[in-house]
Amino acid sequence: MTKVLVLYYSAWGHIEQMAYAAAEGAREAGAEVVVKRVPELVPAEVAAKAHYKTDQKAPIATIEELPEYDAIIFGTPTRYGNMTAQMKNFLDQTGAHWASGALVGKVGSVFSSSATQHGGQESTILTFHPVLLHLGFVIVGLPYSFQGQMGLEEVKGGSPYGASTIAGGDGSRHPSQIELDGARFQGKHVAQIAAKLAAK
Ligand SMILES: Cc1cc2nc3c(=O)[nH]c(=O)nc-3n(C[C@H](O)[C@H](O)[C@H](O)COP(=O)(O)O)c2cc1C
């Protein structure tokens, strides 16, 4: 059975919610799916003061387990147009996998979140991709067969690069149905492609 890891960082829960939607989609495609987080780096008192969502049930992933999966779907909020330091710090510990080629040929895919509509959700995904390419991942996005990314009837995340959500300046906006559908579609799409690659 195809094994998919949804690996995320989320300070306030938006990406956490999108992660479970991506996982649902991958399960729909028949994959065995695990949702895990990368470790927090912000001191506990800073996180408490900023009202981080600290009750996240997903276990913390280890670097060692990454080669066990056929696909990894990464979820990260934007930090000044790029992935979070928490996610990058985790990826910066994959040197042994880079050296051995343990992740070469696996499927990698990214979804994101930003406070504002044009606050960097696309740049966060696109600047994530070089890391995946260095590690040898085959990148999968959110194709236009997810028709939800078309249309101007509402403000929404989602692009051919990957699913995304808009949290609002104060974090009060939650992922909309169409954004969660995008994450679900991406999860399913990744699992289907990973299954095809694994069959070869
Ligand atoms: C240090 C910092 C930098 C941020 N940079 C951006 C940014 O460049 N553009 C933007 O729209 N939102 C920015 N945000 C807002 C976060 O992206 C937003 O809170 C996040 O997407 C919510 O996802 P989460 O609930 O999963 O943490 C920033 C937040 C922090 C704390």
Side-chain angles (χ1 to χ4, degrees):
M1 189 186 268
T2 312
K3 283 189 78 177
V4 175
L5 171 65
V6 180
L7 182 62
Y8 77 91
Y9 172 77
S10 182
W12 289 287
H14 298 81
I15 283 290
E16 179 191 31
Q17 214 185 325
M18 294 283 277
Y20 286 101
E24 247 174 64
R27 280 192 195 104
E28 270 174 39
E32 181 187 329
V33 186
V34 178
V35 180
K36 294 202 177 185
R37 293 181 286 148
V38 300
E40 183 55 89
L41 296 178
V42 167
E45 60 275 19
V46 176
K49 210 170 163 190
H51 307 291
Y52 277 25
K53 184 176 184 294
T54 49
D55 62 334
Q56 298 183 36
K57 66 178 185 202
I60 303 292
T62 64
I63 301 295
E64 293 70 33
E65 74 183 281
L66 299 183
E68 293 170 19
Y69 302 95
D70 300 299
I72 306 179
I73 306 173
F74 300 87
T76 176
T78 194
R79 293 286 183 267
Y80 309 122
N82 278 266
M83 75 172 89
T84 57
Q86 289 83 350
M87 181 60 79
K88 188 60 166 49
N89 177 67
F90 185 84
L91 291 169
D92 284 354
Q93 296 173 59
T94 57
H97 294 328
W98 171 79
S100 68
L103 301 174
V104 172
K106 295 182 184 295
V107 175
S109 195
V110 185
F111 62 92
S112 72
S113 164
S114 62
T116 63
Q117 197 178 358
H118 303 292
Q121 32 190 262
E122 293 182 12
S123 64
T124 296
I125 296 173
L126 290 172
T127 52
F128 202 124
H129 285 172
V131 178
L132 298 186
L133 290 168
H134 277 254
L135 288 166
F137 281 91
V138 176
I139 291 172
V140 167
L142 180 66
Y144 280 107
S145 42
F146 175 64
Q147 278 284 303
Q149 66 189 292
M150 302 292 285
L152 302 170
E153 67 291 348
E154 62 178 283
V155 171
K156 59 190 174 190
S159 73
Y161 316 122
S164 55
T165 184
I166 304 156
D170 60 359
S172 62
R173 182 181 182 277
H174 295 284
S176 65
Q177 193 53 55
I178 215 155
E179 291 167 345
L180 292 168
D181 287 348
R184 215 170 281 119
F185 189 105
Q186 188 172 351
K188 188 172 182 179
H189 184 54
V190 164
Q192 285 168 337
I193 289 176
K196 280 184 197 163
L197 286 178
K200 295 222 180 261

